[in-house]
CSV table of all heavy atoms in Angstrom, one decimal:
chain,number,residue,atom,x,y,z
A,122,SER,N,-71.7,-12.1,-116.3
A,122,SER,CA,-71.9,-12.6,-114.9
A,122,SER,C,-71.1,-13.8,-114.8
A,122,SER,O,-71.6,-15.0,-114.7
A,122,SER,CB,-73.3,-12.8,-114.7
A,122,SER,OG,-74.1,-11.7,-114.7
A,123,PRO,N,-69.7,-13.8,-114.8
A,123,PRO,CA,-68.9,-14.9,-114.6
A,123,PRO,C,-69.1,-15.6,-113.3
A,123,PRO,O,-69.7,-15.0,-112.3
A,123,PRO,CB,-67.5,-14.4,-114.5
A,123,PRO,CG,-67.6,-13.0,-114.2
A,123,PRO,CD,-68.9,-12.5,-114.6
A,124,GLY,N,-68.9,-16.9,-113.1
A,124,GLY,CA,-69.0,-17.6,-111.8
A,124,GLY,C,-69.4,-19.1,-112.1
A,124,GLY,O,-69.3,-19.6,-113.2
A,125,ARG,N,-69.9,-19.7,-111.0
A,125,ARG,CA,-70.3,-21.1,-111.1
A,125,ARG,C,-71.7,-21.2,-111.2
A,125,ARG,O,-72.5,-20.5,-110.5
A,125,ARG,CB,-69.7,-21.9,-109.8
A,125,ARG,CG,-68.2,-21.8,-109.5
A,125,ARG,CD,-67.8,-22.7,-108.5
A,125,ARG,NE,-68.2,-24.1,-108.8
A,125,ARG,CZ,-67.2,-24.9,-109.5
A,125,ARG,NH1,-66.2,-24.4,-110.0
A,125,ARG,NH2,-67.5,-26.1,-109.8
A,126,TYR,N,-72.3,-22.2,-112.1
A,126,TYR,CA,-73.6,-22.3,-112.2
A,126,TYR,C,-74.1,-23.8,-112.0
A,126,TYR,O,-73.2,-24.8,-112.5
A,126,TYR,CB,-74.0,-21.9,-113.6
A,126,TYR,CG,-74.0,-20.3,-113.8
A,126,TYR,CD1,-72.8,-19.6,-114.0
A,126,TYR,CD2,-75.1,-19.6,-113.7
A,126,TYR,CE1,-72.7,-18.3,-114.2
A,126,TYR,CE2,-75.2,-18.2,-113.8
A,126,TYR,CZ,-73.9,-17.6,-114.0
A,126,TYR,OH,-73.9,-16.2,-114.1
A,127,THR,N,-75.2,-24.0,-111.4
A,127,THR,CA,-75.7,-25.3,-111.2
A,127,THR,C,-76.4,-25.8,-112.5
A,127,THR,O,-77.3,-25.1,-113.1
A,127,THR,CB,-76.7,-25.4,-110.1
A,127,THR,OG1,-76.0,-25.0,-108.9
A,127,THR,CG2,-77.1,-26.8,-109.8
A,128,LEU,N,-76.0,-27.1,-113.0
A,128,LEU,CA,-76.6,-27.7,-114.1
A,128,LEU,C,-78.1,-28.2,-113.6
A,128,LEU,O,-78.2,-28.7,-112.5
A,128,LEU,CB,-75.9,-28.9,-114.7
A,128,LEU,CG,-74.5,-28.6,-115.3
A,128,LEU,CD1,-73.9,-29.9,-115.6
A,128,LEU,CD2,-74.6,-27.6,-116.5
A,129,PRO,N,-79.1,-28.0,-114.6
A,129,PRO,CA,-80.4,-28.5,-114.2
A,129,PRO,C,-80.4,-30.2,-113.9
A,129,PRO,O,-79.6,-30.9,-114.7
A,129,PRO,CB,-81.3,-28.2,-115.4
A,129,PRO,CG,-80.3,-28.0,-116.5
A,129,PRO,CD,-79.0,-27.5,-116.0
A,130,ILE,N,-81.2,-30.6,-113.1
A,130,ILE,CA,-81.3,-32.1,-112.8
A,130,ILE,C,-82.1,-32.7,-113.9
A,130,ILE,O,-83.2,-32.2,-114.3
A,130,ILE,CB,-81.8,-32.3,-111.5
A,130,ILE,CG1,-80.8,-31.8,-110.3
A,130,ILE,CG2,-82.1,-33.8,-111.3
A,130,ILE,CD1,-81.4,-31.9,-109.0
A,131,GLU,N,-81.6,-33.8,-114.4
A,131,GLU,CA,-82.3,-34.6,-115.4
A,131,GLU,C,-82.7,-33.9,-116.6
A,131,GLU,O,-83.7,-33.9,-117.2
A,131,GLU,CB,-83.6,-35.3,-114.8
A,131,GLU,CG,-83.3,-36.3,-113.6
A,131,GLU,CD,-84.5,-36.9,-113.3
A,131,GLU,OE1,-85.5,-36.8,-113.6
A,131,GLU,OE2,-84.2,-38.1,-112.6
A,132,SER,N,-81.7,-32.9,-117.1
A,132,SER,CA,-82.0,-32.2,-118.3
A,132,SER,C,-80.7,-31.8,-118.9
A,132,SER,O,-79.7,-31.7,-118.1
A,132,SER,CB,-82.7,-30.9,-118.0
A,132,SER,OG,-82.9,-30.0,-119.1
A,133,THR,N,-80.7,-31.7,-120.2
A,133,THR,CA,-79.4,-31.2,-120.8
A,133,THR,C,-79.1,-29.7,-120.8
A,133,THR,O,-80.1,-28.9,-120.4
A,133,THR,CB,-79.4,-31.5,-122.3
A,133,THR,OG1,-80.6,-30.9,-122.9
A,133,THR,CG2,-79.5,-33.0,-122.5
A,134,PHE,N,-77.9,-29.3,-120.9
A,134,PHE,CA,-77.7,-27.7,-120.9
A,134,PHE,C,-76.4,-27.5,-121.8
A,134,PHE,O,-75.4,-28.2,-121.7
A,134,PHE,CB,-77.3,-27.4,-119.4
A,134,PHE,CG,-77.5,-26.0,-119.1
A,134,PHE,CD1,-78.7,-25.4,-119.1
A,134,PHE,CD2,-76.4,-25.2,-118.7
A,134,PHE,CE1,-79.0,-24.1,-118.8
A,134,PHE,CE2,-76.6,-23.8,-118.5
A,134,PHE,CZ,-78.0,-23.2,-118.5
A,135,THR,N,-76.7,-26.7,-122.8
A,135,THR,CA,-75.6,-26.4,-123.8
A,135,THR,C,-74.7,-25.1,-123.4
A,135,THR,O,-75.1,-24.3,-122.5
A,135,THR,CB,-76.3,-26.2,-125.1
A,135,THR,OG1,-77.0,-25.1,-125.1
A,135,THR,CG2,-77.1,-27.3,-125.5
A,136,VAL,N,-73.7,-25.0,-124.1
A,136,VAL,CA,-72.7,-23.9,-123.9
A,136,VAL,C,-73.6,-22.5,-124.2
A,136,VAL,O,-73.5,-21.5,-123.4
A,136,VAL,CB,-71.6,-23.9,-124.8
A,136,VAL,CG1,-70.7,-22.7,-124.7
A,136,VAL,CG2,-70.8,-25.3,-124.5
A,137,VAL,N,-74.4,-22.5,-125.2
A,137,VAL,CA,-75.1,-21.3,-125.5
A,137,VAL,C,-76.2,-20.9,-124.4
A,137,VAL,O,-76.3,-19.9,-124.1
A,137,VAL,CB,-76.0,-21.5,-126.8
A,137,VAL,CG1,-76.8,-20.3,-127.1
A,137,VAL,CG2,-74.9,-21.6,-127.9
A,138,GLU,N,-76.8,-22.0,-123.8
A,138,GLU,CA,-77.7,-21.8,-122.7
A,138,GLU,C,-76.9,-21.2,-121.6
A,138,GLU,O,-77.5,-20.3,-120.8
A,138,GLU,CB,-78.4,-23.0,-122.4
A,138,GLU,CG,-79.4,-23.6,-123.4
A,138,GLU,CD,-80.0,-24.9,-123.2
A,138,GLU,OE1,-79.2,-25.8,-122.9
A,138,GLU,OE2,-81.3,-25.0,-123.5
A,139,LEU,N,-75.7,-21.7,-121.2
A,139,LEU,CA,-75.0,-21.2,-120.2
A,139,LEU,C,-74.6,-19.8,-120.4
A,139,LEU,O,-74.7,-18.9,-119.4
A,139,LEU,CB,-73.7,-22.0,-119.8
A,139,LEU,CG,-72.8,-21.5,-118.9
A,139,LEU,CD1,-73.5,-21.5,-117.5
A,139,LEU,CD2,-71.5,-22.4,-118.8
A,140,VAL,N,-74.1,-19.4,-121.6
A,140,VAL,CA,-73.7,-18.1,-121.9
A,140,VAL,C,-75.0,-17.1,-121.8
A,140,VAL,O,-74.8,-16.0,-121.2
A,140,VAL,CB,-73.2,-17.9,-123.4
A,140,VAL,CG1,-73.3,-16.5,-123.9
A,140,VAL,CG2,-71.9,-18.6,-123.5
A,141,THR,N,-76.1,-17.5,-122.2
A,141,THR,CA,-77.4,-16.8,-122.0
A,141,THR,C,-77.6,-16.6,-120.5
A,141,THR,O,-78.0,-15.5,-120.1
A,141,THR,CB,-78.5,-17.4,-122.7
A,141,THR,OG1,-78.2,-17.6,-124.1
A,141,THR,CG2,-79.9,-16.6,-122.5
A,142,LYS,N,-77.6,-17.6,-119.7
A,142,LYS,CA,-77.9,-17.5,-118.3
A,142,LYS,C,-76.9,-16.6,-117.6
A,142,LYS,O,-77.3,-16.0,-116.5
A,142,LYS,CB,-77.8,-19.0,-117.7
A,142,LYS,CG,-78.3,-19.0,-116.2
A,142,LYS,CD,-78.5,-20.4,-115.8
A,142,LYS,CE,-79.1,-20.6,-114.4
A,142,LYS,NZ,-79.2,-21.9,-113.9
A,143,ALA,N,-75.7,-16.6,-118.1
A,143,ALA,CA,-74.6,-15.7,-117.4
A,143,ALA,C,-74.8,-14.3,-118.0
A,143,ALA,O,-73.8,-13.5,-117.7
A,143,ALA,CB,-73.2,-16.3,-117.6
A,144,GLY,N,-75.8,-13.8,-118.5
A,144,GLY,CA,-75.9,-12.4,-119.0
A,144,GLY,C,-75.5,-12.2,-120.4
A,144,GLY,O,-75.5,-11.1,-120.8
A,145,GLY,N,-74.8,-13.2,-121.0
A,145,GLY,CA,-74.3,-12.8,-122.4
A,145,GLY,C,-72.8,-12.4,-122.4
A,145,GLY,O,-72.3,-12.1,-121.4
A,146,ILE,N,-72.3,-12.4,-123.6
A,146,ILE,CA,-70.9,-12.1,-123.8
A,146,ILE,C,-70.7,-10.5,-123.8
A,146,ILE,O,-71.6,-9.8,-124.3
A,146,ILE,CB,-70.4,-12.6,-125.1
A,146,ILE,CG1,-70.5,-14.2,-125.0
A,146,ILE,CG2,-68.9,-12.2,-125.5
A,146,ILE,CD1,-70.3,-14.9,-126.4
A,147,THR,N,-69.6,-10.0,-123.2
A,147,THR,CA,-69.4,-8.5,-123.2
A,147,THR,C,-69.1,-8.1,-124.6
A,147,THR,O,-68.9,-8.8,-125.6
A,147,THR,CB,-68.2,-8.2,-122.2
A,147,THR,OG1,-67.0,-8.7,-122.8
A,147,THR,CG2,-68.4,-8.9,-120.9
A,148,ASP,N,-69.0,-6.7,-124.7
A,148,ASP,CA,-68.8,-6.0,-126.0
A,148,ASP,C,-67.4,-6.4,-126.6
A,148,ASP,O,-67.2,-6.4,-127.8
A,148,ASP,CB,-69.0,-4.6,-125.9
A,148,ASP,CG,-70.4,-4.2,-125.5
A,148,ASP,OD1,-71.3,-5.0,-125.7
A,148,ASP,OD2,-70.6,-3.0,-125.0
A,149,ILE,N,-66.4,-6.7,-125.7
A,149,ILE,CA,-65.1,-7.1,-126.2
A,149,ILE,C,-64.9,-8.6,-126.2
A,149,ILE,O,-63.8,-9.1,-126.4
A,149,ILE,CB,-64.0,-6.4,-125.4
A,149,ILE,CG1,-64.0,-6.8,-123.9
A,149,ILE,CG2,-64.2,-4.9,-125.6
A,149,ILE,CD1,-62.9,-6.3,-123.1
A,150,GLY,N,-65.8,-9.5,-125.9
A,150,GLY,CA,-65.7,-10.9,-125.9
A,150,GLY,C,-65.7,-11.5,-127.4
A,150,GLY,O,-66.4,-10.9,-128.2
A,151,ARG,N,-65.0,-12.5,-127.4
A,151,ARG,CA,-64.9,-13.2,-128.8
A,151,ARG,C,-65.8,-14.4,-128.7
A,151,ARG,O,-65.5,-15.5,-128.4
A,151,ARG,CB,-63.4,-13.5,-129.1
A,151,ARG,CG,-63.3,-14.2,-130.6
A,151,ARG,CD,-61.8,-14.5,-130.8
A,151,ARG,NE,-61.5,-15.2,-132.0
A,151,ARG,CZ,-60.5,-15.8,-132.3
A,151,ARG,NH1,-59.5,-16.0,-131.5
A,151,ARG,NH2,-60.4,-16.4,-133.5
Side-chain angles (χ1 to χ4, degrees):
S122 298
R125 301 188 66 82
Y126 289 83
T127 300
L128 295 176
I130 294 176
E131 295 189 350
S132 177
T133 57
F134 207 60
T135 67
V136 178
V137 176
E138 288 173 319
L139 177 61
V140 167
T141 302
K142 188 172 184 178
I146 297 170
T147 66
D148 294 338
I149 61 172
R151 188 181 174 195

